[in-house]
Amino acid sequence: MGQLNIIITMVLTVVLNLQISFVLAHETKVYVVYLGKKTHDHPESVTESHHQLLRPLLGSKKEVHDSVVYSYRHGFSGFAAKLTESQAQQISQLPEVVHVIPNTLYELTTTRTWDYLGLSPGTSKSLLHKANMGSQVIVGVIDTGVWPESEMFNDKGYGPIPSRWKGGCVSGELFNASIHCNKKLIGAKYFVDGLVAEIGVLNTTENPEYLSPRDFNGHGTHVASTVGGSFLPNVSYLGLGRGTARGGAPGVYLAIYKACWSQIGCSAKGIHVVASAGNNGPAAQTIANVSPWILTVAATTLDRSFPTAITLGNNITTLGQAIFAGPELGFVDLTDPERPLSGDCAELRANPNKTMQGKVVLCFTADLNPTSMAVVNAVTAVSNAGGLGVIIARNPTYSLIPTPNFPCVMVDFELGTDILFYIRSTRSPIVKIHASRTLVSHHVATKVATFSSRGPNSISPAILKPDIAAPGVNIVAANRTGVVMRSGTSMATPVVTGVVVLLKSLYPHWSPAAVRSAIVTTAWKTDPSGEPIFADGSSRKLADPFDYGGGLVNPEKAARPGLIYDMTIADYVSYLCSTYYNNVSISQVLEKKTVCPNPKPSVLDLNLPSITIPNLKDEVTLTRTVTNVGPLNSIYKVMIDPPIGVSMTVTPDTLEFSSTTKIVSFKVRVSTRHKVNTGYYFGSLTWTDSVHNVVIPVSVRTQIFQRYYDEN
Ligand SMILES: *[C@@H]1O[C@H](CO)[C@@H](O)[C@H](O)[C@H]1NC(C)=O
Ligand SMILES: *[C@@H]1O[C@H](CO)[C@@H](O)[C@H](O)[C@H]1NC(C)=O
Ligand SMILES: *[C@@H]1O[C@H](CO)[C@@H](O)[C@H](O)[C@H]1NC(C)=O
Ligand SMILES: *[C@@H]1O[C@H](CO)[C@@H](O)[C@H](O)[C@H]1NC(C)=O
Ligand SMILES: *[C@@H]1O[C@H](CO)[C@@H](O)[C@H](O)[C@H]1NC(C)=O
Ligand SMILES: *[C@@H]1O[C@H](CO)[C@@H](O)[C@H](O)[C@H]1NC(C)=O
Ligand SMILES: *[C@@H]1O[C@H](CO)[C@@H](O)[C@H](O)[C@H]1NC(C)=O
């Protein structure tokens, strides 16, 4: 209840328009120390061993405690600590230390994502420059909080905090407002009351958390840095993915609202303006965040991969993917977990078996849950048993886990089976694993991720979801002071938020619907190099609007959409009235007297930048309205690509705009020639003035007979 109100308020308060100028500098330095050997002790003794390493150098126990920011336990051994350059130098001389690198407290997708999407600072005509890096905008990030020490939040070049900023920065556990907020990170608050009301007392022993804006989980830090992280030149993760890291709108001010708590959930659900599509793909009807006023984002791969060569004893080399820094391992013994194990990665943990000692282990997992611990558990089990590496065969497009010192290579089932056949074909199988490389290439196809939730929208089938797709796979992201590889639609969402921010700073008066329309109608239907986008799933197929909505977000084109499909509060009221709301309940929701039209409006007429007809019988006519935001005297002609077996007629078929005519409506008559109930067929409707192509996806399902649960 009251959700519509909150969302609209959020749009207004989250993006405020303010001016800044550039001055000032700032510095902190955190180093990540990689240790050669993995320790297998209890978590506390791992941390203690890291502390002991630093004691001789830093002196007191307290100084060590203050210095160590994070102890790593999964995948590799090491810790992050605040050090001077000379201390870092001294530590790197210790025998147990492999290397020491300045921390990678930022999100390395940004070393590739923005260039991939064509959003580069290169020319003065680019969207980034025209929008002045988003520098007039304050972005509110409602998530798990922030790890404020991240270099991506440094306020280098920022002037005084705008006087119009009325929000605050509050202190709390390990968060001191006067130190941790700065001229970029201008606001930070945490909301725990709603949560406490729901679950009773928040016991931070049971659910480790910071009672402050500090980010325990790491998710919010990632989101904030992807939306608005500052420029950081020449960064890499152990040499992989080198480039300049930045957020989509590097000049923004950030206001952090911690409303989501690790392992517990969010106390302010449903108020995101841009929300992720969910990670429950590839099955149909798995989409979350289905409301028409939310921009729902699907996740795709980038044109970047981390090929890692596996050479078998028969000298055949296959390419898997990993984040493995080397040095090269092998040749060493190779095994698949022997009986009584089945080769299932999950069993490695249940049956730690000494036969894995000194070997590389091949295992298979069918686990489709992207957040499952299957890979981490397999790495832990093999490494605990004294194994030297693991090769995991599984479905493609799941996140890679960075294991810099312990090779953990992903292959698909086909390659995994080849390796298994090799193992079975020889008395003493051996393998060599080479260090990972970074490959950025047009030869790497873009795919909608397996986990990315798919339409159709089961709650409001006439509203296309997802709206748009953005890169969200194998993203190296900040987790506190370390980096983790994350994949998820919530990795893709901040990419689109970054674009929204740039559009808002370019066109402050655009409504959320106008921004959404610009993004959807200009999206790429292919990858940026013109190759088709596929959708991963149980079988790979060409992507359709239920996989990626309008397509892959194209930031530069979104800044010049030509026409927009706009919506006002009245349209949202119409939508609610088209569902189960009546005069009474709509007034309650909007907290003011509101009247639903009679007869009920048709949801098909909602002015969305898409047409989705879930139950076409014979024919239907629907209306859309477009607003010219391009050159005044423009003439647009219609181009129709109807779905298979469907006819579409648009009247008028030419739209003439002038200084007085800015808004024009048109009608679309859609009829079916099918004789049976069908699945969805897809097409498009384009308005073009030969400069701008305003494309909306069309999805039509024929329903001659009453719908029933059809198993076939
Ligand atoms: C926060 O930092 C300021 C400035 O360093 C210091 O004066 C103050 O005592 C700190 N507050 C707390 C609660 O630690
Ligand atoms: C928090 O949980 C721990 C472990 O279950 C328990 O020992 C402690 O008493 C709890 N604290 C509070 C304040 O409830
Ligand atoms: C990030 O760090 C937190 C706290 O240590 C941990 O619970 C969480 O699992 C980490 N996230 C990932 C994806 O590794
Ligand atoms: C980037 O960093 C690497 C390693 O730290 C260094 O070798 C290289 O010279 C740097 N490149 C530039 C352009 O600064
Ligand atoms: C693999 O290549 C190496 C070096 O070229 C060679 O010595 C070895 O005999 C080859 N092994 C097989 C099984 O072909
Ligand atoms: C480990 O493997 C060996 C040889 O296959 C087997 O005899 C033994 O029972 C296994 N141990 C465990 C704990 O599964
Ligand atoms: C809502 O109220 C208006 C004005 O009283 C009335 O015309 C209309 O029929 C009502 N709508 C519904 C759905 O009851």
Side-chain angles (χ1 to χ4, degrees):
M1 279 297 161
Q3 200 186 39
L4 180 62
N5 236 355
I6 298 168
I7 294 148
I8 292 168
T9 319
M10 284 310 299
V11 179
L12 299 178
T13 54
V14 164
V15 182
L16 305 171
N17 302 301
L18 296 157
Q19 209 74 41
I20 65 153
S21 57
F22 285 81
V23 255
L24 175 72
H26 169 96
E27 58 173 60
T28 62
K29 206 135 202 183
V30 175
Y31 287 86
V32 181
V33 179
Y34 292 93
L35 302 177
K37 220 173 124 321
K38 181 146 174 61
T39 40
H40 310 306
D41 317 71
H42 290 295
E44 303 81 59
S45 41
V46 172
T47 307
E48 184 51 36
S49 72
H50 296 159
H51 282 208
Q52 275 169 11
L53 199 74
L54 285 172
R55 274 290 275 288
L57 189 70
L58 299 181
S60 81
K61 210 167 177 164
K62 183 175 183 313
E63 290 207 28
V64 171
H65 186 267
D66 291 346
S67 160
V68 174
V69 197
Y70 193 62
S71 282
Y72 297 95
R73 287 177 210 127
H74 294 298
F76 71 99
S77 170
F79 58 89
K82 290 180 202 151
L83 300 168
T84 66
E85 206 174 320
S86 80
Q87 285 170 336
Q89 175 65 26
Q90 284 171 37
I91 284 187
S92 69
Q93 304 303 317
L94 297 176
E96 54 271 65
V97 172
V98 177
H99 41 215
V100 177
I101 58 165
N103 93 86
T104 36
L105 262 176
Y106 26 71
E107 196 276 304
L108 291 188
T109 177
T110 46
T111 61
R112 182 60 200 149
T113 299
W114 306 112
D115 289 337
Y116 168 73
L117 294 175
L119 187 65
S120 302
T123 71
S124 59
K125 285 208 166 116
S126 71
L127 171 59
L128 261 184
H129 280 281
K130 282 195 293 188
N132 201 14
M133 312 285 172
S135 62
Q136 301 160 338
V137 178
I138 296 174
V139 177
V141 179
I142 306 154
D143 210 289
T144 59
V146 68
W147 196 261
E149 288 85 358
S150 170
E151 277 292 320
M152 280 201 116
F153 306 127
N154 87 58
D155 59 4
K156 194 173 181 174
Y158 277 67
I161 293 171
S163 59
R164 284 170 61 195
W165 170 243
K166 296 287 184 275
C169 180
V170 299
S171 295
E173 191 180 354
L174 291 183
F175 197 97
N176 182 335
S178 46
I179 296 173
H180 292 126
C181 276
N182 61 25
K183 289 169 183 164
K184 178 185 183 83
L185 193 64
I186 60 174
K189 290 189 170 179
Y190 63 105
F191 301 93
V192 76
D193 292 354
L195 199 71
V196 167
E198 241 172 71
I199 65 161
V201 65
L202 175 67
N203 185 331
T204 54
T205 311
E206 279 177 348
N207 293 305
E209 251 299 357
Y210 299 115
L211 282 171
S212 75
R214 186 171 288 275
D215 183 7
F216 185 88
N217 174 282
H219 189 276
T221 302
H222 165 89
V223 169
S225 66
T226 308
V227 174
S230 299
F231 279 88
L232 280 180
N234 195 23
V235 296
S236 75
Y237 178 59
L238 298 175
L240 294 169
R242 185 177 297 281
T244 295
R246 66 174 193 271
V252 294
Y253 297 100
L254 292 167
I256 305 296
Y257 301 94
K258 176 170 173 177
C260 300
W261 299 79
S262 260
Q263 294 163 37
I264 305 171
C266 304
S267 55
K269 270 192 180 137
I271 54 177
H272 297 248
V273 179
V274 184
S276 67
N279 296 323
N280 300 315
Q285 297 191 346
T286 44
I287 203 91
N289 291 315
V290 294
S291 304
W293 48 81
I294 292 175
L295 188 52
T296 311
V297 183
T300 69
T301 58
L302 281 168
D303 60 348
R304 181 179 67 183
S305 63
F306 302 100
T308 305
I310 302 166
T311 305
L312 304 174
N314 58 12
N315 282 351
I316 289 176
T317 296
T318 52
L319 286 181
Q321 278 206 63
I323 303 289
F324 170 50
E328 170 181 301
L329 171 71
F331 281 103
V332 297
D333 289 342
L334 171 64
T335 182
D336 65 309
E338 289 163 46
R339 269 172 286 276
L341 304 183
S342 64
D344 184 342
C345 296
E347 290 193 23
L348 297 178
R349 187 159 176 248
N351 301 288
N353 197 306
K354 286 295 169 203
T355 60
M356 298 193 285
Q357 190 163 4
K359 295 180 182 167
V360 169
V361 177
L362 169 73
C363 69
F364 289 72
T365 180
D367 197 331
L368 287 176
N369 179 358
T371 59
S372 90
M373 296 297 284
V375 171
V376 170
N377 288 345
V379 167
T380 308
V382 173
S383 113
N384 283 351
L388 298 178
V390 61
I391 299 172
I392 296 183
R394 60 171 186 176
N395 260 319
T397 331
Y398 286 94
S399 57
L400 297 172
I401 309 270
T403 52
N405 308 131
F406 187 87
C408 167
V409 190
M410 303 301 153
V411 294
D412 60 26
F413 289 126
E414 213 176 308
L415 292 173
T417 306
D418 287 349
I419 297 171
L420 184 65
F421 283 175
Y422 161 71
I423 293 175
R424 294 286 153 79
S425 75
T426 176
R427 200 172 286 275
S428 44
I430 50 170
V431 68
K432 183 193 277 186
I433 298 180
H434 306 255
S436 308
R437 294 186 302 120
T438 308
L439 177 68
V440 173
S441 165
H442 294 325
H443 301 308
V444 181
T446 297
K447 285 151 284 176
V448 174
T450 308
F451 60 76
S452 187
S453 298
R454 311 301 161 89
N457 173 341
S458 57
I459 298 170
S460 308
I463 292 168
L464 178 67
K465 291 290 167 182
D467 293 282
I468 193 74
V473 174
N474 289 339
I475 303 307
V476 184
N479 190 8
R480 301 188 166 195
T481 52
V483 286
V484 290
M485 204 96 179
R486 281 180 185 257
S487 293
T489 48
S490 58
M491 310 297 109
T493 301
V495 172
V496 173
T497 308
V499 177
V500 169
V501 169
L502 293 178
L503 294 179
K504 273 305 273 189
S505 38
L506 211 53
Y507 309 108
H509 303 299
W510 277 15
S511 69
V515 170
R516 188 244 313 261
S517 172
I519 288 174
V520 171
T521 61
T522 57
W524 274 298
K525 308 296 175 289
T526 65
D527 79 0
S529 72
E531 290 292 334
I533 297 176
F534 282 83
D536 266 334
S538 54
S539 63
R540 200 171 269 176
K541 61 164 182 105
L542 281 174
D544 63 45
F546 288 162
D547 302 309
Y548 64 12
L552 179 66
V553 62
N554 182 342
E556 290 288 348
K557 278 268 163 62
R560 285 169 280 113
L563 306 179
I564 53 175
Y565 292 77
D566 205 356
M567 283 202 266
T568 64
I569 295 274
D571 294 287
Y572 294 116
V573 170
S574 258
Y575 165 70
L576 292 177
C577 292
S578 78
T579 64
Y580 50 84
Y581 285 89
N582 56 35
N583 281 349
V584 176
S585 57
I586 189 105
S587 302
Q588 279 168 356
V589 164
L590 298 180
E591 287 169 3
K592 70 172 198 207
K593 192 166 172 359
T594 309
V595 167
C596 276
N598 199 1
K600 251 187 179 201
S602 161
V603 67
L604 296 181
D605 287 331
L606 189 63
N607 204 35
L608 295 166
S610 56
I611 293 172
T612 310
I613 308 176
N615 51 358
L616 182 62
K617 186 180 181 181
D618 306 328
E619 67 166 75
V620 69
T621 299
L622 52 91
T623 307
R624 287 287 183 277
T625 302
V626 283
T627 306
N628 181 18
V629 296
L632 287 184
N633 299 305
S634 300
I635 297 176
Y636 280 84
K637 289 194 180 330
V638 79
M639 289 192 322
I640 302 167
D641 171 23
I644 291 171
V646 168
S647 306
M648 288 170 62
T649 331
V650 174
T651 36
D653 62 3
T654 302
L655 306 179
E656 290 189 32
F657 296 93
S658 66
S659 56
T660 50
T661 309
K662 297 214 168 82
I663 302 177
V664 176
S665 294
F666 61 92
K667 290 202 179 301
V668 186
R669 181 177 161 275
V670 186
S671 60
T672 181
R673 298 190 298 276
H674 289 289
K675 306 272 187 300
V676 297
N677 286 5
T678 70
Y680 280 94
Y681 287 106
F682 302 98
S684 63
L685 186 163
T686 304
W687 288 106
T688 181
D689 65 352
S690 76
V691 176
H692 306 90
N693 292 317
V694 190
V695 189
I696 64 172
V698 176
S699 320
V700 177
R701 182 172 65 186
T702 299
Q703 237 161 62
I704 305 290
F705 309 104
Q706 186 188 359
R707 229 178 87 65
Y708 61 102
Y709 176 68
D710 182 356
E711 285 223 312
N712 302 312

